[in-house]
Amino acid sequence: MATTTETTLRDAFVKARRERSLVDIETLPVPASLEEALSVQADVSSAMGYSHLGWKVSIAPDGRGLIGLMPGPFLKPGDTYRSVPGAELRVEIEIGIRLGRDMPRRPGKPYSRAELLEHCHSAFVGIEVVESRIADWTHVQFPLWLADAMGHGGYLIGQDVPFEVFDSIGELTCTIELDGDVLYDKPAVHGNGDALAPVLAWANREHESALGGLVAGQVITTGSLCGGVLAPNLGPVIARLDPLAAISFALA
């Protein structure tokens, strides 16, 4: 049975999504555990009727894998991401994968990195737009952030790249330009070292999740290579992962 915290968060996040509005953080309780936060995600997904088309993954401080639902919108280069008025937007340059085969949970027999790649259909340059339903999430506690799908707003899928890119992240450079101003220009760095580590952490989780598992056809984004770059205003964006791709889109 859902707890009071889960019910309160589910109702608040569902209302915000349906009405394209923001929620005051002071009105939101904090989940007592990461498991409770994931349950909130599952409840919101069910209430919204979302298809499980994709995931963003992360690793908790204790090493366990975590996941955030990406139900779309999935955009392509040249598209416009339409935000909620007043929402804070951040742009993240990433490498994503498409699963070609299901990866059911295997207790006692963890997947290796090589096996993960064998289950992938392809890899691509991706851009995540982070847009939380929480109005001011500067100091949000992580369980609450997780309950809101780690602030996922939308995802832009760029060109395919070879799997070998995961072995040469440090040779790449991330640049983000918004309305003619360069917001970020630094070497690519993944917070976990290996960009595939968060995917493996979730694939090798100890317990099943109400959100479900990894299924062929799903998109998984492996985490930012530039941190979360704040967009101080709206307008045309050019995001580069040199020398692989330059992707143009717009924030509105």
Side-chain angles (χ1 to χ4, degrees), residues 63-151:
R64 82 178 85 175
L66 298 172
I67 204 162
L69 180 64
M70 298 199 308
F74 290 105
L75 310 176
K76 62 182 183 300
D79 282 351
T80 296
Y81 177 83
R82 302 195 179 279
S83 61
V84 171
E88 179 177 298
L89 304 181
R90 293 181 183 266
V91 177
E92 299 181 354
I93 300 175
E94 307 174 344
I95 300 292
I97 55 176
R98 297 182 188 87
L99 286 180
R101 296 160 52 193
D102 292 357
M103 291 188 70
R105 196 169 61 88
R106 290 193 326 199
K109 188 182 178 183
Y111 290 98
S112 68
R113 189 178 190 274
E115 285 181 300
L116 168 60
L117 289 173
E118 289 172 358
H119 282 73
C120 293
H121 173 272
S122 54
F124 56 87
V125 177
I127 308 295
E128 183 182 11
V129 178
V130 177
E131 180 188 14
S132 177
R133 267 51 59 179
I134 303 170
D136 179 8
W137 47 273
T138 305
H139 303 293
V140 64
Q141 295 185 52
F142 185 75
L144 182 55
W145 181 246
L146 179 61
D148 189 33
M150 294 186 277

Side-chain angles (χ1 to χ4, degrees), residues 120-236:
C120 293
H121 173 272
S122 54
F124 56 87
V125 177
I127 308 295
E128 183 182 11
V129 178
V130 177
E131 180 188 14
S132 177
R133 267 51 59 179
I134 303 170
D136 179 8
W137 47 273
T138 305
H139 303 293
V140 64
Q141 295 185 52
F142 185 75
L144 182 55
W145 181 246
L146 179 61
D148 189 33
M150 294 186 277
H152 177 70
Y155 200 74
L156 188 147
I157 297 177
Q159 70 188 63
D160 284 3
V161 293
F163 291 125
E164 287 76 14
V165 68
F166 288 110
D167 299 320
S168 57
I169 293 294
E171 300 174 13
L172 307 176
T173 299
C174 296
T175 304
I176 297 175
E177 181 180 312
L178 171 61
D179 203 15
D181 295 326
V182 176
L183 304 181
Y184 190 93
D185 185 11
K186 295 182 181 180
V189 177
H190 192 278
N192 300 113
D194 182 0
L196 292 174
V199 187
L200 276 176
W202 178 255
N204 293 329
R205 64 197 180 281
E206 293 185 3
H207 306 289
E208 197 50 86
S209 167
L211 280 166
L214 304 178
V215 179
Q218 290 177 337
V219 169
I220 306 173
T221 180
T222 59
S224 181
L225 302 179
C226 61
V229 179
L230 176 66
N233 53 273
L234 304 177

Side-chain angles (χ1 to χ4, degrees), residues 45-61:
S45 171
S46 177
M48 294 298 297
Y50 286 148
S51 297
H52 291 190
L53 304 177
W55 309 101
K56 59 184 296 185
V57 289
S58 181
I59 298 179

